[in-house]
Amino acid sequence: MNKNFTGLFTALITPFNNDKSIDYISLEKLVTEQVKANVDGIVILGTTGESPVVDENESNEIIKVAVKIAKDKIKIIVGTGSNNTSQAIKKSIKAQELGADAILSVNPYYNKPPQEGMYQHFSQIADSVNIPTILYNIKGRTAINIETDTLVRLASHTNIIGVKEASGDLTQIMDVINNTPKDFFVLSGDDSLTLPLMSLGGHGVVSVISNIFPREMKNIVWQCFTNNFEVARQSHYRLLKFMNALLSVSSNPIPVKTILAYMEKIKEEFRLPLHALDNQKKKEI
């Protein structure tokens, strides 16, 4: 089992047809584009993939498309998180059966568990599969934070190999990097924090903007890995305003899907409760 999960991982959007069904033709093209751009992997069925509104059968088909095109070329990480531990386990086992290289498991949202509850939750999920588990810490969407002490405990689990850190708290991220084993991967969950996080010892990024600019983001990550931080910094600032716009104009993934539709790569379609931007906000991006 390959447990190297460093580099650029694109948080792939889920394209829809005008009737709100999944546009598998566009999905195949998007996955192929990411492979050709030489990203290190894709994350499907995550926040950017509108996973809350994708049903079980559709999820299975999306995984099958990704595996058909990208297996053994780039890593395929599948979002299988839930605030129901047994449901997360079921989804994780299915992702493994369908060929995922790893699973991404988000903080249990809405029910706000205590730290011990989260520790047991993630441990049981990791115990249920034989592929790596990556945690996803995003307090802004889940109302609960995986505290550093809990992350350190979880990092000792042989099947929990890293965390997508989207807390936005650089002090916390530094503590995580400093207190977890060197082979525990800390990936930025925010495009704009990729450069600072990697300069502090982080291992890459799960990126939204690489849906649009995969080669540019790959370059930033590569320059950081090779300690060319001046070159990485120049590239970072060229994209920074755009990175920020993808989050400030509206909730992810509305802006990035709007741009991909403008580029004629997908249709400008969302499933409720997400909704298209008004014309003024479209002009902003």
Side-chain angles (χ1 to χ4, degrees):
M1 176 170 51
N2 188 338
K3 289 190 175 183
N4 181 14
F5 283 78
T6 59
L8 169 64
F9 298 88
T10 299
L12 203 69
I13 64 100
T14 298
F16 299 125
N17 292 305
N18 295 130
D19 64 359
K20 308 299 184 182
S21 63
I22 291 179
D23 182 355
Y24 291 106
I25 294 174
S26 294
L27 179 64
E28 289 186 3
K29 292 178 181 178
L30 292 172
V31 175
T32 300
E33 179 182 50
Q34 294 295 320
V35 172
K36 289 182 177 178
N38 198 33
V39 302
D40 296 284
I42 54 175
V43 176
I44 55 175
L45 299 169
T47 304
T48 310
E50 292 178 72
S51 57
V53 295
V54 177
D55 68 31
E56 182 180 349
N57 290 333
E58 292 170 332
S59 296
N60 293 343
E61 290 303 313
I62 289 171
I63 297 171
K64 289 176 184 177
V65 168
V67 168
K68 179 180 73 173
I69 296 170
K71 187 68 173 178
D72 297 326
K73 297 174 184 174
I74 61 175
K75 297 283 197 332
I76 301 166
I77 305 172
V78 178
T80 62
S82 174
N83 59 350
N84 178 332
T85 306
S86 62
Q87 180 67 15
I89 288 172
K90 178 182 176 182
K91 291 165 67 176
S92 300
I93 292 171
K94 189 63 178 181
Q96 176 180 291
E97 290 174 350
L98 293 174
D101 294 304
I103 58 169
L104 183 71
S105 192
V106 70
N107 305 2
Y109 40 87
Y110 186 68
N111 40 16
K112 297 181 74 173
Q115 293 297 306
E116 183 61 27
M118 279 201 290
Y119 174 78
Q120 296 294 339
H121 170 83
F122 289 125
S123 296
Q124 288 189 26
I125 292 168
D127 287 340
S128 73
V129 291
N130 295 317
I131 55 176
T133 298
I134 300 171
L135 309 180
Y136 178 14
N137 190 26
I138 180 163
K139 182 179 180 179
R141 283 184 181 262
T142 64
I144 194 73
N145 183 53
I146 309 176
E147 302 296 343
T148 301
D149 288 348
T150 305
L151 261 177
V152 171
R153 289 179 68 197
L154 288 164
S156 66
H157 193 296
T158 56
N159 213 28
I160 297 177
I161 64 161
V163 61
K164 174 187 174 183
E165 248 298 346
S167 66
D169 184 342
L170 276 176
T171 300
Q172 175 175 300
I173 294 170
M174 285 190 289
D175 284 342
V176 170
I177 293 171
N178 194 39
N179 289 288
T180 52
K182 290 185 178 181
D183 59 354
F184 184 79
F185 303 114
V186 181
L187 303 171
S188 176
D190 298 290
D191 283 307
S192 62
L193 294 183
T194 304
L195 173 60
L197 185 145
M198 293 191 70
S199 72
L200 294 166
H203 301 86
V205 60
V206 177
S207 171
V208 174
I209 200 174
S210 60
N211 279 278
I212 304 163
F213 296 127
R215 289 176 176 82
E216 290 81 354
M217 280 305 294
K218 175 75 175 186
N219 179 61
I220 290 174
V221 171
W222 176 250
Q223 297 300 341
C224 289
F225 277 137
T226 54
N227 292 317
N228 291 321
F229 287 105
E230 178 56 38
V231 176
R233 185 160 50 247
Q234 292 172 13
S235 299
H236 166 81
Y237 280 116
R238 278 197 296 271
L239 290 178
L240 181 60
K241 188 174 182 180
F242 197 65
M243 291 175 180
N244 291 335
L246 290 182
L247 295 179
S248 62
V249 171
S250 186
S251 298
N252 178 48
I254 295 172
V256 67
K257 291 187 76 174
T258 303
I259 294 164
L260 289 170
Y262 177 77
M263 297 168 71
E264 299 184 342
K265 292 186 177 183
I266 64 170
K267 301 174 183 68
E268 191 181 338
E269 294 290 346
F270 308 88
R271 286 180 176 175
L272 291 172
L274 296 188
H275 193 272
L277 296 175
D278 59 36
N279 288 334
Q280 181 57 42
K281 288 188 175 180
K282 285 182 184 179
K283 288 179 182 179
E284 288 182 37
I285 60 170

